[in-house]
Amino acid sequence: MRTLSATLSAAQKATIINPLARIVLTQGANSYTYTTTRILDIKISEAPDRQTADVLLNNSDGVLTTLDLKGYKGVVSFGATTSAGDEYSAAAPLWVVGQQLHSWPGGLSCSLSLAGIPNLLAEDRANT
C-alpha cells in the first residue's frame, strides 16, 4: 500500500487538480524520464499475483525510434501539483517486456508493455 504525503493527499481532494504522470526507465547507466509532455496514456494493473502496465508515448519527434527499451526497469508514478510543487507516488517497479512503434499520417507513437516480478516468475521456464 502506498502512503501519500499530506500535501499530495490534500491536492487529490481539491476541487481543481493538476494531475501528473511519469515513467522513469533505467538500465545500468542509461536513464530516461518521460512525463505528461510525452505520455499519451497509461494503463496499470496491480494485484498481489500480477502487475502490468501499458504505456503509450508520443514519438512525433522520432526520439524513441532508435531506442531499444526492452529489459529496462520502469517505475510509473502518478501525482499532482501541490503547494510544495510537483509530487508523485510511485508504483512497484516493472520491466519492459515489449516495445512497438506505431505510425499514421501525421503521427508517431511508441507503446511499451511492462510486467512485474510476479509475471516474470510465472514466465520462468527454468529447469534442471
Side-chain angles (χ1 to χ4, degrees):
M1 185 168 133
R2 278 186 218 108
T3 57
L4 303 179
S5 69
T7 53
L8 182 54
S9 182
Q12 289 183 338
K13 295 174 186 173
T15 54
I16 298 174
I17 301 172
N18 181 21
L20 302 172
R22 171 177 71 189
I23 183 167
V24 178
L25 300 162
T26 56
Q27 184 179 60
N30 298 325
S31 182
Y32 303 98
T33 300
Y34 302 118
T35 61
T36 50
T37 57
R38 187 170 294 271
I39 296 171
L40 298 173
D41 189 37
I42 295 179
K43 291 179 177 69
I44 191 165
S45 174
E46 294 179 294
D49 63 338
R50 187 162 196 76
Q51 300 163 336
T52 61
D54 293 308
V55 179
L56 184 63
L57 302 171
N58 181 346
N59 190 30
S60 59
D61 57 4
V63 168
L64 300 169
T65 304
T66 59
L67 292 179
D68 182 7
L69 299 171
K70 195 169 180 184
Y72 274 66
K73 179 172 83 170
V75 177
V76 176
S77 302
F78 296 102
T81 300
T82 70
S83 59
D86 293 348
E87 288 190 46
Y88 293 90
S89 175
L94 306 168
W95 282 262
V96 178
V97 294
Q99 177 179 356
Q100 190 170 12
L101 298 171
H102 310 279
S103 66
W104 61 92
L108 297 170
S109 66
C110 175
S111 61
L112 302 176
S113 298
L114 296 97
I117 291 175
N119 303 68
L120 298 175
L121 289 172
E123 294 295 321
D124 187 5
R125 303 287 185 236
N127 61 45
T128 59

